[in-house]
Coordinates of all heavy atoms in Angstrom, one line a residue:
M89 N -21.2 -19.8 -1.3 CA -20.9 -18.6 -2.0 C -20.2 -17.6 -1.2 O -19.4 -16.9 -1.7 CB -22.2 -18.0 -2.6 CG -22.0 -17.0 -3.6 SD -21.2 -17.7 -5.1 CE -21.5 -16.5 -6.2
K90 N -20.5 -17.5 0.1 CA -19.8 -16.6 1.0 C -18.3 -16.9 1.1 O -17.5 -16.0 1.2 CB -20.5 -16.7 2.4 CG -20.1 -15.6 3.3 CD -20.9 -15.6 4.6 CE -20.6 -14.5 5.5 NZ -21.3 -14.5 6.8
G91 N -18.0 -18.2 1.1 CA -16.6 -18.5 1.1 C -15.8 -18.1 -0.1 O -14.7 -17.7 0.0
F92 N -16.5 -18.1 -1.2 CA -15.9 -17.7 -2.5 C -15.6 -16.2 -2.4 O -14.5 -15.8 -2.9 CB -16.9 -18.0 -3.7 CG -16.4 -17.4 -5.0 CD1 -15.3 -18.0 -5.6 CD2 -16.9 -16.3 -5.5 CE1 -14.9 -17.5 -6.8 CE2 -16.5 -15.8 -6.7 CZ -15.4 -16.4 -7.4
Y93 N -16.5 -15.4 -1.9 CA -16.2 -13.9 -1.7 C -15.1 -13.7 -0.8 O -14.3 -12.8 -1.1 CB -17.5 -13.2 -1.2 CG -18.6 -13.1 -2.3 CD1 -19.9 -13.3 -1.9 CD2 -18.3 -12.8 -3.6 CE1 -20.9 -13.3 -2.8 CE2 -19.3 -12.7 -4.5 CZ -20.6 -13.0 -4.1 OH -21.6 -12.9 -5.1
T94 N -14.9 -14.4 0.2 CA -13.8 -14.3 1.2 C -12.5 -14.5 0.5 O -11.6 -13.8 0.6 CB -14.0 -15.2 2.4 OG1 -15.2 -15.0 3.0 CG2 -12.9 -15.1 3.3
I95 N -12.4 -15.6 -0.3 CA -11.2 -16.0 -1.0 C -10.9 -14.9 -2.1 O -9.8 -14.5 -2.2 CB -11.3 -17.4 -1.6 CG1 -11.4 -18.4 -0.5 CG2 -10.2 -17.6 -2.6 CD1 -11.7 -19.8 -1.0
L96 N -11.9 -14.5 -2.8 CA -11.7 -13.4 -3.8 C -11.2 -12.1 -3.2 O -10.3 -11.5 -3.7 CB -13.1 -13.2 -4.5 CG -13.0 -12.1 -5.7 CD1 -12.1 -12.6 -6.8 CD2 -14.4 -11.8 -6.2
L97 N -11.8 -11.7 -2.1 CA -11.3 -10.5 -1.4 C -9.9 -10.7 -0.9 O -9.1 -9.7 -1.0 CB -12.2 -10.1 -0.3 CG -13.6 -9.6 -0.7 CD1 -14.5 -9.4 0.5 CD2 -13.4 -8.3 -1.5
L98 N -9.5 -11.8 -0.4 CA -8.1 -12.1 0.0 C -7.1 -12.0 -1.2 O -6.1 -11.4 -1.0 CB -8.0 -13.4 0.7 CG -8.6 -13.5 2.1 CD1 -8.6 -14.9 2.6 CD2 -7.7 -12.6 3.1
V99 N -7.5 -12.5 -2.3 CA -6.7 -12.5 -3.5 C -6.5 -11.1 -4.0 O -5.4 -10.6 -4.3 CB -7.2 -13.4 -4.6 CG1 -6.5 -13.2 -5.9 CG2 -7.1 -14.9 -4.2
V100 N -7.6 -10.3 -4.0 CA -7.5 -8.9 -4.5 C -6.7 -8.1 -3.5 O -5.9 -7.3 -4.0 CB -9.0 -8.4 -4.6 CG1 -8.9 -6.9 -4.9 CG2 -9.7 -9.0 -5.8
S101 N -6.9 -8.3 -2.2 CA -6.1 -7.6 -1.3 C -4.6 -7.9 -1.4 O -3.7 -7.0 -1.3 CB -6.6 -8.0 0.1 OG -5.7 -7.4 1.1
N102 N -4.3 -9.2 -1.6 CA -2.9 -9.6 -1.8 C -2.3 -8.9 -3.0 O -1.1 -8.4 -3.0 CB -2.8 -11.1 -1.9 CG -1.4 -11.6 -1.8 OD1 -0.4 -10.8 -1.8 ND2 -1.2 -12.9 -1.7
V103 N -3.0 -8.9 -4.1 CA -2.5 -8.3 -5.3 C -2.2 -6.8 -5.1 O -1.2 -6.2 -5.5 CB -3.4 -8.5 -6.5 CG1 -3.1 -7.7 -7.7 CG2 -3.5 -10.0 -6.9
F104 N -3.2 -6.1 -4.5 CA -3.1 -4.7 -4.2 C -1.8 -4.4 -3.3 O -1.1 -3.5 -3.6 CB -4.3 -4.2 -3.5 CG -4.2 -2.7 -3.1 CD1 -4.4 -1.7 -4.0 CD2 -4.0 -2.4 -1.8 CE1 -4.2 -0.4 -3.6 CE2 -3.8 -1.1 -1.4 CZ -4.0 -0.1 -2.3
M105 N -1.7 -5.2 -2.3 CA -0.5 -5.0 -1.4 C 0.8 -5.3 -2.1 O 1.8 -4.6 -1.8 CB -0.7 -5.8 -0.1 CG -1.8 -5.4 0.8 SD -1.7 -3.7 1.2 CE -0.3 -3.6 2.3
T106 N 0.8 -6.2 -3.0 CA 2.0 -6.5 -3.7 C 2.4 -5.3 -4.6 O 3.6 -4.9 -4.6 CB 1.9 -7.8 -4.6 OG1 1.6 -8.9 -3.8 CG2 3.1 -8.1 -5.4
F107 N 1.4 -4.8 -5.3 CA 1.7 -3.6 -6.1 C 2.1 -2.4 -5.3 O 3.0 -1.6 -5.6 CB 0.5 -3.2 -7.0 CG 0.4 -4.0 -8.2 CD1 -0.6 -5.0 -8.4 CD2 1.3 -3.8 -9.3 CE1 -0.7 -5.7 -9.5 CE2 1.2 -4.5 -10.5 CZ 0.2 -5.5 -10.6
A108 N 1.5 -2.2 -4.1 CA 1.9 -1.2 -3.2 C 3.3 -1.3 -2.7 O 4.0 -0.3 -2.6 CB 0.9 -1.1 -2.0
W109 N 3.7 -2.5 -2.4 CA 5.1 -2.8 -1.9 C 6.1 -2.4 -3.0 O 7.1 -1.7 -2.8 CB 5.2 -4.2 -1.5 CG 6.7 -4.5 -1.1 CD1 7.5 -5.3 -1.8 CD2 7.4 -4.0 0.1 NE1 8.7 -5.3 -1.1 CE2 8.7 -4.6 0.0 CE3 7.0 -3.2 1.1 CZ2 9.6 -4.3 1.0 CZ3 8.0 -2.9 2.0 CH2 9.3 -3.4 2.0
Y110 N 5.9 -2.9 -4.2 CA 6.8 -2.6 -5.3 C 6.8 -1.2 -5.7 O 7.8 -0.6 -6.1 CB 6.5 -3.5 -6.5 CG 7.0 -4.9 -6.3 CD1 6.1 -6.0 -6.4 CD2 8.3 -5.2 -6.1 CE1 6.5 -7.3 -6.1 CE2 8.8 -6.5 -5.9 CZ 7.9 -7.5 -5.9 OH 8.3 -8.8 -5.7
G111 N 5.6 -0.5 -5.6 CA 5.5 0.9 -5.8 C 6.3 1.7 -4.8 O 7.0 2.7 -5.1
H112 N 6.3 1.2 -3.5 CA 7.1 1.9 -2.5 C 8.6 1.7 -2.8 O 9.3 2.7 -2.6 CB 6.7 1.2 -1.1 CG 7.7 1.5 0.0 ND1 8.7 0.7 0.3 CD2 7.7 2.6 0.8 CE1 9.4 1.3 1.3 NE2 8.8 2.4 1.6
L113 N 9.0 0.6 -3.2 CA 10.4 0.4 -3.5 C 10.8 1.3 -4.7 O 11.9 1.9 -4.7 CB 10.7 -1.1 -3.8 CG 10.6 -2.0 -2.7 CD1 10.8 -3.5 -3.2 CD2 11.5 -1.7 -1.5
K114 N 10.0 1.4 -5.7 CA 10.3 2.2 -6.9 C 10.3 3.7 -6.4 O 11.2 4.5 -6.9 CB 9.3 2.0 -8.0 CG 9.6 2.8 -9.2 CD 8.6 2.4 -10.3 CE 9.0 3.3 -11.5 NZ 8.8 2.7 -12.8
M115 N 9.3 4.1 -5.6 CA 9.3 5.5 -5.2 C 10.5 5.9 -4.4 O 11.0 7.0 -4.5 CB 8.0 5.7 -4.3 CG 7.7 7.1 -4.1 SD 6.0 7.2 -3.3 CE 6.0 8.9 -2.9
K116 N 11.0 4.9 -3.6 CA 12.2 5.2 -2.7 C 13.4 5.4 -3.6 O 14.3 6.2 -3.3 CB 12.4 4.0 -1.8 CG 13.4 4.2 -0.8 CD 13.5 3.1 0.2 CE 14.5 3.3 1.3 NZ 14.6 2.3 2.3
Q117 N 13.5 4.7 -4.8 CA 14.6 4.9 -5.6 C 14.5 6.2 -6.5 O 15.6 6.8 -6.7 CB 14.7 3.7 -6.6 CG 15.1 2.4 -5.9 CD 15.0 1.2 -6.9 OE1 14.5 1.4 -8.0 NE2 15.5 0.1 -6.5
E118 N 13.3 6.6 -6.9 CA 13.2 7.7 -7.8 C 13.1 9.1 -7.1 O 13.5 10.1 -7.7 CB 12.0 7.5 -8.7 CG 12.1 6.4 -9.6 CD 10.9 6.3 -10.6 OE1 10.0 7.1 -10.5 OE2 10.9 5.3 -11.3
Y119 N 12.6 9.1 -5.9 CA 12.4 10.4 -5.2 C 13.3 10.5 -3.9 O 13.1 9.7 -3.0 CB 10.9 10.6 -4.8 CG 10.0 10.5 -5.9 CD1 9.2 9.4 -6.2 CD2 9.9 11.6 -6.8 CE1 8.4 9.4 -7.3 CE2 9.1 11.6 -7.9 CZ 8.3 10.5 -8.1 OH 7.5 10.4 -9.2
S120 N 14.2 11.4 -4.0 CA 15.2 11.5 -2.9 C 14.5 12.0 -1.6 O 14.9 11.6 -0.5 CB 16.3 12.5 -3.2 OG 15.8 13.7 -3.5
W121 N 13.4 12.8 -1.7 CA 12.7 13.2 -0.5 C 12.1 12.1 0.3 O 12.0 12.1 1.5 CB 11.7 14.3 -0.8 CG 10.6 13.9 -1.7 CD1 10.5 13.9 -3.0 CD2 9.4 13.2 -1.2 NE1 9.3 13.4 -3.5 CE2 8.6 13.0 -2.4 CE3 8.8 12.9 0.0 CZ2 7.4 12.4 -2.4 CZ3 7.6 12.3 0.0 CH2 6.9 12.0 -1.1
F122 N 11.6 11.1 -0.5 CA 11.0 9.9 0.1 C 12.0 9.1 0.8 O 11.8 8.5 1.9 CB 10.2 9.1 -0.9 CG 9.3 8.1 -0.3 CD1 8.1 8.4 0.3 CD2 9.7 6.8 -0.4 CE1 7.3 7.4 0.9 CE2 8.9 5.8 0.2 CZ 7.7 6.1 0.8
A123 N 13.2 8.9 0.2 CA 14.2 8.1 0.8 C 14.8 8.7 2.0 O 15.3 8.0 2.9 CB 15.3 7.8 -0.2
A124 N 14.7 10.0 2.2 CA 15.2 10.7 3.3 C 14.3 10.8 4.5 O 14.6 11.3 5.6 CB 15.6 12.2 2.9
L125 N 13.0 10.3 4.3 CA 12.1 10.4 5.4 C 12.5 9.5 6.6 O 12.9 8.3 6.3 CB 10.7 9.9 4.9 CG 9.8 10.9 4.1 CD1 8.5 10.2 3.7 CD2 9.5 12.1 4.9
P126 N 12.3 9.9 7.8 CA 12.5 9.0 8.9 C 11.4 8.0 9.0 O 10.4 8.1 8.3 CB 12.5 10.0 10.1 CG 11.7 11.1 9.7 CD 12.0 11.3 8.2
L127 N 11.6 7.0 9.9 CA 10.6 6.0 10.0 C 9.2 6.5 10.3 O 8.2 6.1 9.7 CB 11.0 5.0 11.1 CG 10.0 3.8 11.3 CD1 9.8 3.0 10.1 CD2 10.4 3.0 12.5
I128 N 9.1 7.5 11.1 CA 7.7 8.1 11.5 C 7.1 8.7 10.2 O 5.9 8.7 10.1 CB 7.8 9.1 12.7 CG1 6.5 9.4 13.2 CG2 8.6 10.3 12.3 CD1 5.8 8.3 13.9
G129 N 7.9 9.3 9.4 CA 7.4 9.9 8.1 C 6.9 8.9 7.2 O 5.8 9.1 6.6
V130 N 7.5 7.7 7.1 CA 7.1 6.6 6.2 C 5.8 6.1 6.8 O 4.8 5.8 6.0 CB 8.1 5.5 6.1 CG1 7.6 4.3 5.3 CG2 9.4 6.1 5.4
I131 N 5.7 5.9 8.1 CA 4.5 5.4 8.7 C 3.3 6.4 8.5 O 2.2 6.0 8.1 CB 4.7 5.2 10.2 CG1 5.7 4.0 10.4 CG2 3.4 5.0 11.0 CD1 6.2 3.9 11.9
A132 N 3.6 7.7 8.7 CA 2.5 8.7 8.4 C 2.1 8.7 7.0 O 0.9 8.8 6.7 CB 3.0 10.1 8.8
F133 N 3.0 8.5 6.1 CA 2.7 8.5 4.6 C 1.8 7.3 4.3 O 0.8 7.4 3.6 CB 4.0 8.5 3.8 CG 3.8 8.6 2.3 CD1 3.5 9.9 1.8 CD2 3.8 7.5 1.5 CE1 3.4 10.0 0.4 CE2 3.6 7.7 0.1 CZ 3.4 8.9 -0.4
S134 N 2.1 6.1 4.9 CA 1.3 4.9 4.6 C 0.0 5.0 5.2 O -1.0 4.6 4.7 CB 2.1 3.7 5.0 OG 2.2 3.7 6.4
W135 N -0.1 5.6 6.4 CA -1.4 5.8 7.1 C -2.3 6.7 6.3 O -3.5 6.6 6.2 CB -1.3 6.2 8.5 CG -1.0 5.1 9.4 CD1 0.1 4.5 9.8 CD2 -2.1 4.4 10.1 NE1 -0.1 3.5 10.7 CE2 -1.4 3.4 10.9 CE3 -3.4 4.4 10.2 CZ2 -2.1 2.5 11.7 CZ3 -4.1 3.5 11.0 CH2 -3.4 2.6 11.7
A136 N -1.7 7.8 5.7 CA -2.5 8.7 4.9 C -3.1 8.0 3.7 O -4.2 8.3 3.3 CB -1.6 9.9 4.5
I137 N -2.3 7.2 3.0 CA -2.8 6.4 1.9 C -3.9 5.5 2.3 O -5.0 5.5 1.7 CB -1.7 5.6 1.2 CG1 -0.7 6.5 0.6 CG2 -2.2 4.6 0.2 CD1 0.6 5.8 0.1
A138 N -3.8 4.8 3.4 CA -4.8 3.9 3.9 C -6.1 4.7 4.3 O -7.2 4.3 4.1 CB -4.3 3.1 5.1
F139 N -5.9 5.9 4.9 CA -7.0 6.7 5.3 C -7.9 7.0 4.1 O -9.1 6.9 4.2 CB -6.5 8.0 6.0 CG -7.6 9.0 6.3 CD1 -8.5 8.7 7.4 CD2 -7.9 10.1 5.6 CE1 -9.5 9.6 7.7 CE2 -8.9 11.0 5.9 CZ -9.7 10.7 7.0
F140 N -7.3 7.5 3.0 CA -8.1 7.8 1.9 C -8.6 6.6 1.1 O -9.6 6.7 0.5 CB -7.3 8.7 0.9 CG -7.0 10.1 1.5 CD1 -5.8 10.5 1.9 CD2 -8.1 11.0 1.6 CE1 -5.5 11.7 2.4 CE2 -7.9 12.2 2.2 CZ -6.6 12.6 2.6
E141 N -8.0 5.5 1.3 CA -8.4 4.3 0.7 C -9.7 3.8 1.3 O -10.6 3.3 0.7 CB -7.4 3.2 0.8 CG -7.8 1.8 0.2 CD -6.7 0.8 0.5 OE1 -5.6 1.1 0.9 OE2 -7.1 -0.4 0.3
Y142 N -9.8 3.9 2.7 CA -11.0 3.4 3.4 C -12.0 4.4 3.7 O -13.0 4.1 4.4 CB -10.5 2.7 4.7 CG -9.8 1.4 4.4 CD1 -8.4 1.3 4.6 CD2 -10.5 0.3 4.0 CE1 -7.7 0.1 4.3 CE2 -9.8 -0.9 3.7 CZ -8.4 -0.9 3.9 OH -7.8 -2.1 3.6
K143 N -11.8 5.7 3.3 CA -12.7 6.7 3.6 C -14.0 6.6 2.8 O -14.2 6.2 1.8 CB -12.1 8.1 3.4 CG -13.0 9.2 3.8 CD -12.3 10.5 3.6 CE -13.2 11.6 4.0 NZ -12.8 12.9 3.7

């Protein structure tokens, strides 16, 4: 049963990350301020999302 939970969590994580990636691409197209961010800004933005996700 422990193996089943591991596989289930991997699938859920993969689905979440897929939606996050496509959301990032859509956000980049719709919001000019996001597209203008330098690399460090994008990294800080993604870390902020992860921080609140795991808090």
Side-chain angles (χ1 to χ4, degrees):
M89 193 65 165
K90 193 174 183 180
F92 175 74
Y93 288 138
T94 302
I95 292 170
L96 180 65
L97 287 173
L98 285 170
V99 169
V100 170
S101 174
N102 190 352
V103 169
F104 175 78
M105 291 306 292
T106 300
F107 278 108
W109 175 251
Y110 285 119
H112 168 262
L113 293 177
K114 183 175 176 143
M115 192 171 174
K116 190 173 181 180
Q117 291 174 350
E118 291 184 7
Y119 300 105
S120 60
W121 63 268
F122 189 76
L125 280 178
L127 178 60
I128 192 70
V130 174
I131 292 169
F133 189 78
S134 65
W135 274 89
I137 292 171
F139 174 75
F140 291 110
E141 178 185 348
Y142 289 107
K143 185 175 179 190

